[in-house]
């Protein structure tokens, strides 16, 4: 029997999967460098100035059973992972939107390529996402953001 999936295995797996975004092949950006992917706690916002950058927070974990009378030795679990990606967006609205869309696509591509999160033994995941972006009023480049929630599901028997 494999070791139980816990927050440490999930955090390690999320970091590994996100660091596979290396700017080669179908990836636009490179997140494989030092300081580009990190797990956050709730003490404050990410402080890295490295771009592109992705931070994640492991949210609530919940047991799921199949109702009254269900076999108590069999249950599923879910966990929400909140993720924010930051990339330099460009000086025009179109460039900022394109930069955020490309980072979003890279993150989703990496997550879908490893839906089990490898050693975390997750059964599947789903992603919901949006982008927030726009140029500074004086035309300078600004950061573009990808906000994402990843729902993880796995079963214990």
């Amino acid at each position: 029997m494999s070791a139980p999936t816990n927050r440490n295995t999930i955090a390690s797996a999320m970091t590994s999967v996100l660091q596979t975004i290396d700017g080669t092949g179908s990836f636009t950006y490179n997140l494989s460098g030092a300081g580009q992917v990190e797990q956050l706690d709730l003490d404050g916002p990410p402080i890295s100035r490295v771009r592109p950058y992705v931070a994640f927070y492991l949210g609530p974990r919940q047991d799921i059973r199949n109702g009254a009378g269900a076999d108590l030795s069999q249950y599923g679990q879910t966990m929400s992972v909140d993720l924010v990606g930051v990339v330099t967006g460009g000086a025009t609205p179109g460039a900022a939107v394109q930069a955020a869309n490309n980072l979003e696509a890279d993150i989703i591509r990496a997550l879908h390529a490893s839906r089990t999160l490898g050693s975390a033994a997750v059964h599947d995941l789903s992603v919901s996402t949006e982008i927030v972006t726009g140029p500074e009023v004086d035309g300078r480049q600004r950061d573009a953001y990808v906000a994402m929630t990843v729902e993880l599901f796995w079963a214990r028997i």
Side-chain angles (χ1 to χ4, degrees):
M1 176 178 234
S2 63
T5 298
N6 64 37
R7 288 180 181 273
N8 293 333
T9 55
I10 289 171
S12 177
M14 283 293 290
T15 299
S16 294
V17 167
L18 292 170
Q19 287 178 330
T20 65
I21 301 171
D22 63 1
T24 64
S26 58
F27 292 120
T28 301
Y29 293 105
N30 184 350
L31 295 172
S32 63
Q36 290 186 275
V37 176
E38 71 177 347
Q39 180 183 2
L40 297 177
D41 60 30
L42 291 179
D43 287 343
I47 58 172
S48 177
R49 294 300 306 158
V50 176
R51 298 293 181 262
Y53 169 77
V54 174
F56 64 92
Y57 169 75
L58 301 181
R61 180 173 173 165
Q62 180 178 356
D63 285 351
I64 300 173
R65 295 196 177 9
N66 288 330
D71 182 344
L72 296 181
S73 67
Q74 298 180 0
Y75 60 95
Q77 291 183 326
T78 63
M79 179 181 284
S80 295
V81 179
D82 293 322
L83 184 145
V84 62
V86 188
V87 65
T88 300
T92 66
V97 168
Q98 184 175 7
N101 288 343
N102 287 338
L103 182 60
E104 176 192 55
D106 283 355
I107 295 167
I108 291 171
R109 188 176 292 113
L111 290 170
H112 283 179
S114 181
R115 296 182 78 88
T116 63
L117 293 184
S119 63
V122 170
H123 286 241
D124 204 1
L125 58 85
S126 65
V127 177
S128 61
T129 184
E130 64 181 293
I131 62 167
V132 180
T133 187
E136 293 287 343
V137 294
D138 64 2
R140 292 179 295 152
Q141 291 192 3
R142 71 170 282 167
D143 289 339
Y145 299 88
V146 175
M148 185 177 293
T149 298
V150 180
E151 277 294 317
L152 306 177
F153 172 78
W154 64 98
R156 287 284 167 242
I157 297 177

